[in-house]
Amino acid sequence: MVNIGSGLGAQLSIGAEVTYGTYVAPSKHLEFTKESLVLKKTTAQSAGIAAGRLLPLSSRRVVTQREASGSVDMEVTNKGMGLLLQSLMGTSVTPVQQAATTAYLQTHTLADTAGKSLVIQTGIPLTTGVVTDKSFVGCKVTSAEFSCEVGGMLMATFEFDCKNVDETQTLVVATYPTMSPFNFSQMALKTGTFASEVARDGVRKVSVKFERPQATDRFYAGANGLKAEPITNDQVKITGSIERDYVDTILDDLHTSDAATALVWEFIGPVIEASNAETFRVKLPAIKFDEAPPAVEGFDVIKQTLQFTGLFDATNQPVIEYMSTDVTL
């Protein structure tokens, strides 16, 4: 079947690799809003002097390194997010069935991401409707940012470093399960003592970003110009912001005192079965506010944007919890 010759005919599928950089047929087909994955090549041009030659020889240009990078933007949905969350957070996760229901909980605890790499296959249509395949192998999540504001969907941007691009594979046929996005009407923000956090009023927008610094330049002799799997080479960085009306001074006081507080940012969707509802939840055991200016800029309601940094409370790790009907990642 001839597809639509525009972005309407595009597709994106992912799969978990067994060996870094080795293609496996992707099994998860994700809806996305934008992607920018591209091949990056390093070339060297011979510059030998030859009498009368005014231009370098095209036959003497060589590709010395290949890699890829880019990002994928999407809505966070109630199905299919497990592989991306595992690649971001690092812990090997098996969904846990809740009692005898069709609800399965994934608990993605912060850990090293060694061995967590993906294949990302994109289908990019020509104007004729023919869809071209680009299979990015050795894809490591280097950062992910989640955000939601008044009237909007919960959005995510995942950034990737990739080993290579393979254009010889067969494009998989994408099939999409019935799914729905998490959205502002389901959102709550809580702060306070860890495991006893209290909902905060006046919140209009929240964003949280996880950065996973890695040595992405591991090019060694004998590897045909391709990199070895990136290794964590710095501490994880967690940052975020909270936009709210100035309804009380609870968070403002935390900025003033520089005291730590736990943060829970959650989206509770429809009930799957029994008391188990579709859930996306970020749990940060300790944050500190860096900026929190409640500025008077006119007659309107006073608003403030609080910038925060996620830290370690010496006991509990950051966690992303995801409740869905997905039996596997």
Side-chain angles (χ1 to χ4, degrees):
M1 180 181 69
V2 176
N3 213 325
I4 300 173
S6 68
L8 289 170
Q11 67 179 65
L12 186 146
S13 306
I14 66 174
E17 291 182 336
V18 177
T19 303
Y20 173 74
T22 300
Y23 176 84
V24 296
S27 57
K28 291 285 184 180
H29 314 294
L30 303 179
E31 298 180 13
F32 68 104
T33 57
K34 184 172 65 175
E35 65 88 10
S36 62
L37 296 167
V38 293
L39 169 69
K40 297 168 62 180
K41 62 184 181 182
T42 301
T43 62
Q45 177 68 57
S46 174
I49 296 173
R53 185 182 296 158
L54 299 179
L55 285 173
L57 285 172
S58 64
S59 61
R60 299 274 290 275
R61 175 169 139 158
V62 294
V63 177
T64 59
Q65 293 175 192
R66 289 171 60 91
E67 58 184 319
S69 64
S71 63
V72 177
D73 294 2
M74 63 180 60
E75 298 168 350
V76 177
T77 57
N78 63 345
K79 294 181 183 177
M81 299 298 299
L83 280 180
L84 289 173
L85 296 176
Q86 178 175 262
S87 299
L88 167 66
M89 299 299 285
T91 297
S92 296
V93 172
T94 300
V96 177
Q97 185 178 18
Q98 303 301 289
T101 71
T102 56
Y104 288 79
L105 176 63
Q106 300 175 25
T107 302
H108 296 272
T109 305
L110 188 69
D112 188 28
T113 59
K116 301 296 187 297
S117 60
L118 301 172
V119 167
I120 303 177
Q121 186 182 68
T122 60
I124 304 177
L126 301 172
T127 55
T128 59
V130 175
V131 182
T132 64
D133 158 64
K134 293 184 183 296
S135 295
F136 296 83
V137 296
C139 300
K140 301 278 291 186
V141 175
T142 56
S143 76
E145 183 169 13
F146 304 93
S147 64
C148 186
E149 62 184 330
V150 171
M153 305 294 191
L154 172 58
M155 304 298 298
T157 298
F158 290 86
E159 296 186 355
F160 298 93
D161 176 85
C162 313
K163 181 176 182 178
N164 198 11
V165 183
D166 183 351
E167 298 183 4
T168 66
Q169 302 297 332
T170 300
L171 188 68
V172 298
V173 177
T175 58
Y176 303 96
T178 301
M179 62 178 69
S180 60
F182 292 101
N183 64 80
F184 180 78
S185 71
Q186 303 164 335
M187 185 175 92
L189 182 82
K190 303 176 182 179
T191 64
T193 303
F194 179 76
S196 299
E197 298 88 353
V198 177
R200 297 302 171 206
D201 193 13
V203 176
R204 302 177 60 85
K205 181 179 179 180
V206 179
S207 67
V208 177
K209 184 174 184 178
F210 294 81
E211 297 179 67
R212 306 304 309 256
Q214 296 164 66
T216 59
D217 58 350
R218 299 182 65 218
F219 293 94
Y220 303 141
N224 297 313
L226 300 176
K227 69 175 68 177
E229 181 178 359
I231 296 173
T232 298
N233 65 350
D234 200 350
Q235 292 181 313
V236 176
K237 296 176 177 62
I238 302 175
T239 55
S241 65
I242 302 168
E243 295 183 15
R244 66 194 296 259
D245 286 352
Y246 197 48
V247 299
D248 57 49
T249 65
I250 294 172
L251 301 185
D252 201 32
D253 292 343
L254 289 171
H255 169 251
T256 302
S257 67
D258 203 40
T261 183
L263 179 144
V264 173
W265 180 36
E266 65 183 11
F267 295 77
I268 307 298
V271 171
I272 299 171
E273 191 174 346
S275 60
N276 303 294
E278 297 169 354
T279 302
F280 180 89
R281 179 182 293 117
V282 176
K283 299 169 68 174
L284 303 179
I287 67 166
K288 289 199 174 187
F289 291 104
D290 303 310
E291 298 179 18
V296 179
E297 298 179 345
F299 298 118
D300 203 357
V301 173
I302 308 303
K303 294 178 172 58
Q304 66 177 156
T305 299
L306 301 105
Q307 308 287 342
F308 64 82
T309 298
L311 301 165
F312 184 39
D313 70 352
T315 302
N316 305 287
Q317 293 288 358
V319 170
I320 296 179
E321 294 177 345
Y322 183 61
M323 182 92 77
S324 73
T325 57
D326 290 339
V327 178
T328 64
L329 298 190

